[in-house]
Amino acid sequence: MTHPAAPLFSFGIVADPQYANIEPKPDMGRYYANSPQKLDAAIDTFNGEDLSFVVTLGDLIDRDWDSFGAVLSCYDRLRHRSVLLPGNHDFAVDADRLPQVYARLGMPSPWYDFVEQDVRFIVLDGSDVSLFAPPRQDPRREIAATRLETLQAVGAINAQTWNGSLGDEQFAWLEDRLADAGRLKQKVIIFCHYPIFPENAHNLWDAPRILSLLAEHDCFAAWFCGHNHVGNYGEIDGSHFLNFKGMVDTPDENTFAIADVYADRIEISGFGREDSRSLVFDQALVPAT
């Protein structure tokens, strides 16, 4: 197959800067205070490219509300649109600040979608039903406790307190957005902090339910996430599940990526620790005329 010389469009990708002004934990591979300088280097690269946007796949901070100011200031130099979404650590703030996290990240709502040249990007909130993100006394915390207990009872490897899941409202919204994209012949790329495949201790609690839904929609092309800092990759029937490596994990070696979207594939150019790879679509995108 002859590939076009230029992509339809491109975007940058960062995962898990997890900044905090605290001492490193080398035994865990966490160098919290070093992330702004790595972000600066990544943004220098992004600014030299023609990108539609840059997505950061959650965990901008490790803890404390004031950490947002220091890490978000790095993005002031970014000349492209910044797409931010929360990870579990972004909710490690005082309880009264929990409802403000989404606005601090500049999100229009906890979950939403946007379209770029016949590709539908869906931004999900994997912390929707969790033990840490909903405000205190929110019924979603009780639902989260029940879901976790159910998984623990069967020894599920992702039965971890630092994972989460989608609420029924968000799940129904996702189903609607996938159906809409299918009607419009759009490819779908999903951004979420948490992985769902391959099986892993970091996966969303409700990964099987989400995978079943995605399998019903030929428009689904890829799931991009962070959370599992060592990275991961899987493929199911031509759909790709790519877990990008965590920026916080090394003293100075960086990790980020640029995705070039073509009609028949996505080319991932990895920088630093991130791998480069080609994600071929099962069915080629047919741009609207």
Side-chain angles (χ1 to χ4, degrees), residues 111-288:
W111 52 87
Y112 66 98
D113 61 344
F114 62 95
V115 176
E116 183 72 35
Q117 297 193 40
D118 294 305
V119 177
R120 176 83 59 106
F121 290 93
I122 296 178
V123 179
L124 295 180
D125 177 21
S127 302
D128 181 16
V129 175
S130 65
L131 298 177
F132 47 81
R136 300 285 172 84
Q137 311 307 317
D138 189 300
R140 287 176 294 170
R141 289 198 176 223
E142 292 186 13
I143 297 171
T146 299
R147 290 183 179 182
L148 180 57
E149 288 171 4
T150 300
L151 289 172
Q152 289 173 333
V154 297
I157 62 171
N158 64 329
Q160 308 291 340
T161 58
W162 29 262
N163 290 333
S165 55
L166 307 187
D168 290 342
E169 179 186 354
Q170 184 177 184
F171 186 84
W173 176 86
L174 172 60
E175 187 172 23
D176 176 77
R177 294 293 81 201
L178 288 165
D180 188 59
R183 285 191 296 269
L184 296 174
K185 308 299 184 185
Q186 297 170 335
K187 284 293 184 185
V188 171
I189 298 174
I190 295 178
F191 296 146
C192 184
H193 178 62
Y194 305 85
I196 57 172
F197 183 82
E199 186 175 9
N200 187 270
H202 295 79
N203 287 7
L204 285 172
W205 294 335
D206 54 344
R209 178 170 79 149
I210 299 171
L211 286 168
S212 295
L213 173 62
L214 297 177
E216 298 172 0
H217 295 274
D218 292 338
C219 61
F220 170 66
W223 181 286
F224 287 176
C225 62
H227 194 46
N228 178 11
H229 291 203
V230 300
N232 207 351
Y233 171 77
E235 181 267 337
I236 301 176
D237 296 331
S239 296
H240 306 275
F241 301 82
L242 182 50
N243 190 149
F244 291 86
K245 295 175 181 176
M247 182 175 275
V248 71
D249 285 42
T250 57
D252 48 30
E253 188 179 8
N254 218 336
T255 183
F256 59 95
I258 291 176
D260 294 323
V261 180
Y262 295 85
D264 62 341
R265 72 199 193 282
I266 304 173
E267 295 290 343
I268 302 293
S269 297
F271 294 79
R273 292 163 43 237
E274 190 59 60
D275 298 321
S276 296
R277 63 183 79 224
S278 182
L279 310 178
V280 178
F281 295 155
D282 186 44
Q283 297 178 358
L285 172 68
V286 180

Side-chain angles (χ1 to χ4, degrees), residues 14-21 31-43 54 56-78 82 84-86 89-90 93 101 104-105 247-248:
V14 172
D16 299 82
Q18 211 167 313
Y19 168 77
N21 186 22
Y31 297 84
Y32 310 100
N34 296 12
S35 287
Q37 66 192 47
K38 295 180 201 170
L39 266 177
D40 283 342
I43 287 169
V54 171
T56 304
L57 295 165
D59 278 4
L60 269 76
I61 67 168
D62 181 75
R63 67 191 75 175
D64 300 331
W65 185 259
D66 290 344
S67 297
F68 280 121
V71 72
L72 287 172
S73 66
C74 296
Y75 292 84
D76 292 342
R77 293 192 306 107
L78 182 66
S82 177
L84 304 174
L85 58 143
H89 281 278
D90 294 311
V93 296
V101 169
R104 190 71 180 94
L105 297 176
M247 182 175 275
V248 71

